[in-house]
Amino acid sequence: MENLYGYINQFNDELVKVRRYLHKNPELSFEEFKTQKYIYGKLKELKNANIHKIQDSTSIIVTFHSLERGENICFRADIDALPIQEENNLDFSSKNDGVMHACGHDAHTSILLSFAKYIDNNYYKLKGDITLIFQHAEELPPGGAIEITKTPQFQKIDKIFGLHVDTTIDIGNVAISEKEATASVSKFNVEILGKGGHSAYPNISKDPIALSIEIINDIYYNLSKQLDPREPVSLVITQINAGSASNIIPNKSTFSGSLRTFSSENSDILKRFIENIIKSHTNKNNEYSYKYNFLEEYLPVINDIKLFNNIKNIIENETDLQFIQSEPMLTSEDFSAYTNEKAGCFILIGAKNSETFCDFPHHHPRFNIDENSMTIGLLIYIKIFEKFCMKV
């Protein structure tokens, strides 16, 4: 183990250098053109890598093929940033106004690039194939992963791993959920159509605001009766819009929200529940009508139980890291597009260090990570390589 740590330490400077370059030069989802060019330049330095730029996207897929038969093991990093104005005062703070790596994708990309270099250096040990995905647009639904699943390179893989640095978990800890890792997320939009008029004569109008309030209250009041109370769910109305002046009753009112669950069945139940509430109120008031749109954006990430146990055993028995069995999170991830088709495992790498102010939450303008977390992420990937990809 000491020899492995000593070997990995040679990557530390490169991990930090690459991550800080990417942090300083973030790009939004579907706009990662310079990021792709930078990644491609790094990969071109490798001797054994087959590099594929994915058509009509900024993703890159890298494959390493060996002559010895074995599984095709895949690893993924997301490369996009967020529309956030950075408030950190760092030498490598974002130079792009209103754009920031506030979710750790710069670190994920740096880890996967160093791992690519490790594979190239140890190519003679490889059994089977390895596929690396540098994926665009994780942050913006429908996400880049769904496009990657349609590529011939993805269709050939057997297992897939992904990781995420996490500033809610202390450095030195690694957390994995046994089954459900993240939730599905759906958004819905509702338009209530009434009959507008002068606010002096509400008796001859059909107020869509009042009906929207009734519907929203009814949704919240009856939500707990729809599912087993042990089932985690989040259904929240996040926007209400109506009207243009204080003396005008508008013709329409709109509201929207999000739904998060851990099963498609529960999502379908609540999709129907919302519309049934809307329909019951508009049917009682014949002069109202409605429009309802429901879109499932990401599926839940479901970890494969065998892979969960494999990684748990590696962490507990082959490293000095602390393993945490994490609870399912109601956040969402487009890594779900991969685990919906292939056996996969999503790993959380502790990146919290309050002494260096690396404890702000994801998507916060002061988000930052303890960069030692990248060495830990690389270590986990190398141990997975040894477990699944190395000649005996």
Side-chain angles (χ1 to χ4, degrees):
M1 189 64 192
E2 289 181 5
N3 290 338
L4 180 56
Y5 273 119
Y7 179 82
I8 291 175
N9 285 338
Q10 71 176 295
F11 291 95
N12 287 348
D13 289 346
E14 182 73 3
L15 284 165
V16 170
K17 179 182 177 181
V18 170
R19 183 253 168 170
R20 292 186 178 186
Y21 171 85
L22 294 169
H23 192 90
K24 194 172 185 176
N25 298 274
E27 294 179 295
L28 295 174
S29 304
F30 299 102
E31 300 175 13
E32 311 95 330
F33 303 108
K34 293 180 181 178
T35 303
Q36 183 198 51
K37 183 178 179 181
Y38 178 80
I39 293 168
Y40 185 79
K42 291 288 184 182
L43 294 170
K44 285 293 287 183
E45 298 172 3
L46 307 180
K47 297 177 181 178
N48 302 293
N50 302 286
I51 308 168
H52 313 271
K53 287 185 178 180
I54 304 307
Q55 187 175 2
D56 299 323
S57 85
T58 49
S59 287
I60 295 176
I61 297 180
V62 184
T63 53
F64 293 88
H65 302 293
S66 76
L67 297 177
E68 185 167 333
R69 293 183 63 182
E71 291 187 301
N72 188 328
I73 308 298
C74 184
F75 302 81
R76 171 270 211 166
D78 34 20
I79 67 174
D80 55 327
L82 286 157
I84 294 174
Q85 183 64 45
E86 182 162 10
E87 295 178 3
N88 289 315
N89 184 23
L90 303 167
D91 293 339
F92 54 93
S93 290
S94 172
K95 69 177 187 181
N96 298 335
D97 287 343
V99 186
M100 178 190 176
H101 271 296
C103 201
H105 297 188
D106 49 350
H108 306 161
T109 304
S110 182
I111 292 167
L112 199 61
L113 280 171
S114 282
F115 184 52
K117 187 174 182 179
Y118 169 86
I119 298 167
D120 202 55
N121 291 345
N122 292 272
Y123 179 73
Y124 65 96
K125 299 178 182 178
L126 179 61
K127 175 186 68 176
D129 298 336
I130 291 181
T131 301
L132 307 181
I133 299 172
F134 294 87
Q135 181 214 305
H136 70 295
E138 187 277 329
E139 294 288 0
L140 188 62
I146 193 70
E147 297 177 35
I148 299 296
T149 61
K150 299 171 185 176
T151 63
Q153 293 86 4
F154 178 82
Q155 291 301 320
K156 294 175 183 177
I157 75 165
D158 296 297
K159 298 178 174 67
I160 184 166
F161 296 91
L163 58 74
H164 207 300
V165 292
D166 193 320
T167 54
T168 68
I169 302 171
D170 287 328
I171 189 76
N173 294 330
V174 178
I176 312 175
S177 178
E178 186 174 22
K179 190 179 179 185
E180 297 92 351
T182 65
S184 69
V185 60
S186 304
K187 68 178 180 181
F188 57 89
N189 300 289
V190 180
E191 185 176 293
I192 302 299
L193 303 168
K195 180 183 176 183
H198 199 292
S199 64
Y201 305 104
N203 55 308
I204 60 173
S205 300
K206 292 295 179 182
D207 186 352
I209 297 176
L211 190 64
S212 293
I213 292 170
E214 288 182 22
I215 291 169
I216 292 168
N217 285 336
D218 216 1
I219 289 172
Y220 280 137
Y221 180 78
N222 289 287
L223 175 61
S224 63
K225 304 178 180 68
Q226 306 310 307
L227 301 175
D228 186 319
R230 294 168 294 183
E231 293 278 352
V233 62
S234 172
L235 194 167
V236 183
I237 308 300
T238 54
Q239 289 179 301
I240 306 176
N241 294 288
S244 59
S246 61
N247 62 346
I248 301 172
I249 295 172
N251 281 318
K252 69 177 182 180
S253 169
T254 63
F255 64 91
S256 59
S258 71
L259 170 65
R260 296 171 184 270
T261 73
F262 289 105
S263 77
S264 295
E265 180 184 359
N266 287 346
S267 184
D268 289 341
I269 289 170
L270 294 175
K271 174 185 177 180
R272 293 192 297 271
F273 158 70
I274 294 168
E275 184 164 25
N276 288 339
I277 293 287
I278 298 166
K279 193 180 294 184
S280 69
H281 281 273
T282 54
N283 286 346
K284 284 190 299 184
N285 300 274
N286 291 330
E287 294 187 48
Y288 290 95
S289 60
Y290 74 92
K291 296 178 182 178
Y292 176 54
N293 179 260
F294 186 97
L295 177 64
E296 187 169 57
E297 296 182 322
Y298 292 159
L299 297 167
V301 173
I302 308 296
N303 284 336
D304 179 84
I305 186 64
K306 291 182 180 178
L307 297 183
F308 164 84
N309 285 322
N310 288 149
I311 308 306
K312 178 177 182 287
N313 289 335
I314 286 171
I315 294 166
E316 290 182 334
N317 300 317
E318 300 182 30
T319 76
D320 56 4
L321 302 168
Q322 182 68 39
F323 175 80
I324 298 172
Q325 183 166 327
S326 60
E327 295 297 319
M329 300 181 294
L330 281 164
T331 51
S332 58
E333 241 284 352
D334 82 338
F335 192 78
S336 58
Y338 304 132
T339 59
N340 188 50
E341 295 195 23
K342 306 286 184 177
C345 191
F346 195 63
I347 305 161
L348 302 179
I349 307 296
K352 178 181 179 180
N353 187 338
S354 297
E355 292 181 2
T356 55
F357 305 103
C358 297
D359 53 6
F360 287 91
H362 294 253
H363 296 207
H364 190 282
R366 289 197 62 194
F367 175 84
N368 197 12
I369 63 165
D370 185 322
E371 291 178 322
N372 291 310
S373 60
M374 294 189 292
T375 307
I376 294 171
L378 179 58
L379 169 66
I380 298 300
Y381 275 179
I382 291 173
K383 298 304 293 185
I384 293 172
F385 174 91
E386 292 177 347
K387 170 71 176 177
F388 293 102
C389 313
M390 196 164 73
K391 296 176 183 177
V392 178

